[in-house]
Amino acid sequence: MSGTETDDHLPSDGDPASVHLIVGTTRARIVLSGEIDADIGPELGEAVAEAEASGLPVEIDAHHITFMDSSGVAFLARLASRMPHKVRILRAPPTVKFLLEVTRIGEMLEIVDTDEGFDVQ
């Protein structure tokens, strides 16, 4: 590596994204972590379809999101518009809260700073 090489040419050390769906007795929870961007679009779509099929209210555990771009915001907007119950966002980090405020998507969601726990069957 030369002394003139910039950080743009270094390998990315970002957190890999993950999407997990947990279906409980009273609600479905989508747990997001890492970098939420267009690369995980298919996984997000699959989780939404399964959550929607459960017929339960949906919540998003956002505590471990390290980055979110416009595709993540669009995902939340689509989810909020498709669900019959208001989608809850749990423990969103400041950067996610900022994006939800600036885009006004937060008005479509219930943003909660705590996590009441989760009952699994």
Coordinates of all heavy atoms in Angstrom, one line a residue, residues 75-120:
F75 N -37.8 0.6 2.9 CA -38.3 -0.7 3.4 C -39.3 -0.4 4.6 O -40.4 -1.0 4.6 CB -37.2 -1.6 3.9 CG -37.5 -2.5 5.0 CD1 -38.2 -3.7 4.7 CD2 -37.1 -2.3 6.3 CE1 -38.6 -4.6 5.7 CE2 -37.5 -3.2 7.3 CZ -38.2 -4.3 7.0
L76 N -38.9 0.5 5.5 CA -39.8 0.8 6.6 C -41.1 1.4 6.1 O -42.2 1.1 6.7 CB -39.1 1.7 7.6 CG -37.9 1.0 8.3 CD1 -37.2 2.0 9.2 CD2 -38.4 -0.2 9.2
A77 N -41.0 2.3 5.1 CA -42.2 3.0 4.6 C -43.2 1.9 4.0 O -44.4 2.0 4.2 CB -41.8 4.0 3.6
R78 N -42.6 1.0 3.2 CA -43.5 0.0 2.6 C -44.1 -0.9 3.6 O -45.3 -1.2 3.5 CB -42.6 -0.9 1.6 CG -42.4 -0.3 0.3 CD -41.8 -1.3 -0.7 NE -40.6 -2.0 -0.2 CZ -39.4 -1.5 -0.3 NH1 -39.2 -0.4 -0.9 NH2 -38.4 -2.2 0.1
L79 N -43.3 -1.3 4.6 CA -43.8 -2.1 5.7 C -45.0 -1.4 6.4 O -46.0 -2.0 6.6 CB -42.7 -2.5 6.7 CG -43.1 -3.4 7.8 CD1 -43.5 -4.7 7.4 CD2 -41.9 -3.5 8.8
A80 N -44.8 -0.2 6.8 CA -45.8 0.6 7.5 C -47.1 0.7 6.7 O -48.2 0.7 7.2 CB -45.2 2.0 7.9
S81 N -46.9 0.9 5.4 CA -48.1 1.1 4.5 C -48.9 -0.2 4.3 O -50.0 -0.2 4.0 CB -47.7 1.8 3.2 OG -46.9 0.9 2.4
R82 N -48.2 -1.4 4.4 CA -48.8 -2.6 4.1 C -49.5 -3.3 5.3 O -50.3 -4.2 5.2 CB -47.8 -3.6 3.5 CG -47.3 -3.2 2.2 CD -46.2 -4.1 1.7 NE -46.6 -5.5 1.5 CZ -46.0 -6.4 0.9 NH1 -44.8 -6.1 0.3 NH2 -46.4 -7.6 0.8
M83 N -49.0 -2.9 6.5 CA -49.5 -3.6 7.7 C -50.8 -3.0 8.2 O -50.9 -1.8 8.3 CB -48.4 -3.6 8.8 CG -47.2 -4.4 8.5 SD -47.6 -6.1 8.3 CE -46.3 -6.6 7.2
P84 N -51.7 -3.8 8.7 CA -53.0 -3.3 9.3 C -52.8 -2.6 10.6 O -53.6 -1.8 11.0 CB -53.9 -4.5 9.4 CG -53.0 -5.7 9.4 CD -51.7 -5.3 8.7
H85 N -51.7 -3.0 11.4 CA -51.4 -2.4 12.7 C -50.2 -1.5 12.5 O -49.4 -1.7 11.6 CB -51.0 -3.5 13.7 CG -52.1 -4.5 13.9 ND1 -52.1 -5.7 13.2 CD2 -53.2 -4.6 14.6 CE1 -53.1 -6.5 13.5 NE2 -53.8 -5.8 14.4
K86 N -50.1 -0.5 13.4 CA -49.0 0.4 13.3 C -47.7 -0.4 13.6 O -47.6 -1.1 14.6 CB -49.2 1.5 14.3 CG -48.3 2.7 14.0 CD -48.8 4.0 14.7 CE -48.1 5.1 14.0 NZ -48.7 6.4 14.4
V87 N -46.7 -0.3 12.8 CA -45.4 -1.0 13.0 C -44.6 -0.2 14.1 O -44.5 1.0 14.1 CB -44.6 -1.0 11.7 CG1 -43.2 -1.6 12.0 CG2 -45.3 -1.8 10.7
R88 N -44.1 -1.0 15.0 CA -43.3 -0.4 16.1 C -41.8 -0.6 15.8 O -41.4 -1.7 15.4 CB -43.6 -1.2 17.4 CG -45.0 -1.0 17.9 CD -45.3 -1.8 19.2 NE -44.5 -1.2 20.3 CZ -44.2 -1.9 21.4 NH1 -44.6 -3.1 21.5 NH2 -43.6 -1.3 22.4
I89 N -41.0 0.5 16.1 CA -39.6 0.4 15.9 C -39.0 0.5 17.3 O -39.3 1.4 18.1 CB -39.0 1.6 15.1 CG1 -39.7 1.7 13.8 CG2 -37.5 1.6 15.0 CD1 -39.4 0.6 12.8
L90 N -38.3 -0.6 17.7 CA -37.7 -0.7 19.1 C -36.3 -0.3 19.1 O -35.5 -0.7 18.2 CB -37.8 -2.1 19.6 CG -39.2 -2.8 19.5 CD1 -39.1 -4.2 19.9 CD2 -40.2 -2.0 20.4
R91 N -35.9 0.5 20.1 CA -34.5 0.9 20.4 C -33.7 1.3 19.2 O -32.6 0.9 19.0 CB -33.8 -0.3 21.1 CG -34.6 -0.8 22.3 CD -33.9 -2.0 23.0 NE -33.6 -3.1 22.1 CZ -32.7 -4.0 22.3 NH1 -32.1 -4.0 23.5 NH2 -32.5 -5.0 21.5
A92 N -34.3 2.2 18.4 CA -33.6 2.8 17.2 C -32.4 3.6 17.7 O -32.5 4.5 18.5 CB -34.5 3.6 16.4
P93 N -31.2 3.4 17.0 CA -30.1 4.3 17.3 C -30.3 5.7 16.8 O -31.2 5.9 15.9 CB -28.9 3.6 16.6 CG -29.5 2.5 15.7 CD -30.9 2.3 16.1
P94 N -29.6 6.7 17.3 CA -29.8 8.1 16.9 C -29.8 8.3 15.4 O -30.6 9.1 14.9 CB -28.7 8.8 17.6 CG -28.3 8.0 18.8 CD -28.6 6.6 18.4
T95 N -28.9 7.6 14.7 CA -28.8 7.8 13.2 C -30.1 7.4 12.5 O -30.6 8.0 11.6 CB -27.6 7.1 12.6 OG1 -27.7 5.7 13.0 CG2 -26.3 7.7 13.1
V96 N -30.7 6.3 13.0 CA -31.9 5.8 12.4 C -33.1 6.7 12.8 O -33.9 7.1 11.9 CB -32.2 4.3 12.9 CG1 -33.6 3.9 12.4 CG2 -31.2 3.4 12.4
K97 N -33.1 7.2 14.0 CA -34.2 8.1 14.4 C -34.1 9.4 13.6 O -35.1 9.9 13.1 CB -34.0 8.5 15.9 CG -34.5 7.4 16.8 CD -34.4 7.9 18.3 CE -34.9 6.9 19.2 NZ -34.7 7.4 20.6
F98 N -32.9 9.9 13.3 CA -32.7 11.1 12.5 C -33.2 10.8 11.1 O -34.0 11.7 10.6 CB -31.2 11.4 12.4 CG -30.9 12.6 11.5 CD1 -31.2 13.9 11.9 CD2 -30.4 12.3 10.2 CE1 -30.9 14.9 11.0 CE2 -30.1 13.3 9.3 CZ -30.4 14.7 9.7
L99 N -32.9 9.7 10.5 CA -33.5 9.4 9.1 C -35.0 9.4 9.1 O -35.6 9.9 8.2 CB -32.9 8.1 8.6 CG -31.5 8.1 8.2 CD1 -31.0 6.6 7.9 CD2 -31.3 9.0 6.9
L100 N -35.6 8.8 10.1 CA -37.0 8.7 10.2 C -37.7 10.1 10.4 O -38.7 10.3 9.9 CB -37.4 7.7 11.3 CG -37.0 6.3 11.2 CD1 -37.4 5.4 12.4 CD2 -37.6 5.7 9.9
E101 N -37.0 10.9 11.1 CA -37.5 12.3 11.3 C -37.4 13.1 10.0 O -38.4 13.8 9.6 CB -36.7 13.0 12.4 CG -37.2 12.7 13.8 CD -36.4 13.5 14.8 OE1 -35.9 14.7 14.5 OE2 -36.2 13.0 15.9
V102 N -36.2 13.1 9.4 CA -36.0 13.9 8.2 C -36.9 13.5 7.1 O -37.4 14.3 6.3 CB -34.5 13.8 7.8 CG1 -34.2 14.4 6.4 CG2 -33.6 14.5 8.8
T103 N -37.1 12.2 6.9 CA -37.9 11.7 5.8 C -39.4 11.7 6.2 O -40.3 11.4 5.3 CB -37.5 10.3 5.4 OG1 -37.7 9.4 6.6 CG2 -36.1 10.2 5.0
R104 N -39.7 12.0 7.5 CA -41.1 12.0 8.0 C -41.7 10.6 8.0 O -42.9 10.4 8.2 CB -42.0 13.0 7.3 CG -41.4 14.4 7.4 CD -42.2 15.4 6.8 NE -43.4 15.5 7.6 CZ -44.3 16.5 7.5 NH1 -44.2 17.4 6.6 NH2 -45.4 16.5 8.2
I105 N -40.9 9.5 7.7 CA -41.4 8.2 7.8 C -41.8 7.8 9.2 O -42.7 7.0 9.5 CB -40.4 7.2 7.2 CG1 -40.1 7.5 5.8 CG2 -40.8 5.7 7.4 CD1 -41.3 7.5 4.8
G106 N -41.1 8.4 10.2 CA -41.4 8.2 11.6 C -42.8 8.5 12.0 O -43.3 7.9 12.9
E107 N -43.5 9.3 11.2 CA -44.9 9.6 11.5 C -45.8 8.4 11.2 O -46.9 8.3 11.7 CB -45.4 10.8 10.7 CG -44.7 12.1 11.0 CD -45.0 13.2 10.1 OE1 -45.8 13.1 9.2 OE2 -44.3 14.3 10.2
M108 N -45.3 7.5 10.4 CA -46.1 6.3 10.0 C -45.8 5.1 11.0 O -46.5 4.1 10.9 CB -45.7 5.8 8.6 CG -45.9 6.8 7.5 SD -45.2 6.3 5.9 CE -46.1 4.8 5.6
L109 N -44.9 5.3 11.9 CA -44.4 4.3 12.8 C -44.6 4.7 14.2 O -44.7 5.8 14.6 CB -42.9 4.0 12.5 CG -42.5 3.7 11.1 CD1 -41.0 3.9 10.9 CD2 -42.9 2.3 10.7
E110 N -44.6 3.7 15.1 CA -44.5 3.9 16.5 C -43.1 3.7 17.0 O -42.6 2.5 16.9 CB -45.5 3.0 17.3 CG -45.4 3.2 18.8 CD -46.3 2.2 19.5 OE1 -47.0 1.4 18.9 OE2 -46.2 2.2 20.8
I111 N -42.4 4.7 17.4 CA -41.0 4.6 17.8 C -40.9 4.5 19.3 O -41.4 5.4 20.0 CB -40.2 5.8 17.3 CG1 -40.3 5.8 15.7 CG2 -38.7 5.7 17.7 CD1 -39.7 7.0 15.1
V112 N -40.3 3.4 19.8 CA -40.3 3.0 21.2 C -38.8 2.9 21.6 O -38.1 2.1 20.9 CB -41.1 1.7 21.5 CG1 -41.0 1.4 23.0 CG2 -42.5 1.9 21.0
D113 N -38.4 3.5 22.7 CA -37.0 3.4 23.2 C -36.7 2.2 24.0 O -35.6 2.0 24.4 CB -36.6 4.7 23.9 CG -36.5 5.9 23.0 OD1 -36.2 5.7 21.8 OD2 -36.8 7.0 23.4
T114 N -37.7 1.4 24.4 CA -37.5 0.3 25.2 C -37.9 -1.0 24.5 O -38.5 -1.0 23.4 CB -38.3 0.4 26.5 OG1 -39.7 0.5 26.2 CG2 -37.9 1.6 27.3
D115 N -37.6 -2.1 25.2 CA -38.1 -3.4 24.6 C -38.7 -4.2 25.8 O -38.1 -4.4 26.8 CB -36.8 -4.2 24.1 CG -37.2 -5.5 23.5 OD1 -38.4 -5.9 23.5 OD2 -36.3 -6.2 23.1
E116 N -40.0 -4.4 25.6 CA -40.7 -5.1 26.7 C -40.5 -6.6 26.8 O -41.0 -7.3 27.6 CB -42.2 -4.9 26.4 CG -42.7 -3.5 26.3 CD -44.1 -3.4 25.7 OE1 -44.7 -4.4 25.4 OE2 -44.5 -2.2 25.6
G117 N -39.6 -7.1 25.9 CA -39.4 -8.6 25.8 C -40.3 -9.2 24.8 O -41.1 -8.5 24.1
F118 N -40.2 -10.5 24.7 CA -40.9 -11.2 23.6 C -41.3 -12.6 24.0 O -40.5 -13.3 24.5 CB -39.9 -11.2 22.4 CG -40.6 -11.6 21.1 CD1 -41.3 -10.6 20.4 CD2 -40.5 -12.8 20.6 CE1 -42.0 -10.9 19.2 CE2 -41.2 -13.1 19.4 CZ -41.9 -12.2 18.7
D119 N -42.5 -12.9 23.8 CA -43.1 -14.2 24.2 C -43.1 -15.1 22.9 O -43.8 -14.7 22.0 CB -44.5 -14.1 24.8 CG -44.5 -13.4 26.1 OD1 -43.5 -13.5 26.8 OD2 -45.5 -12.7 26.4
V120 N -42.4 -16.2 23.0 CA -42.4 -17.2 21.9 C -43.2 -18.4 22.3 O -43.3 -18.7 23.5 CB -41.0 -17.6 21.6 CG1 -40.9 -18.3 20.3 CG2 -40.0 -16.5 21.7

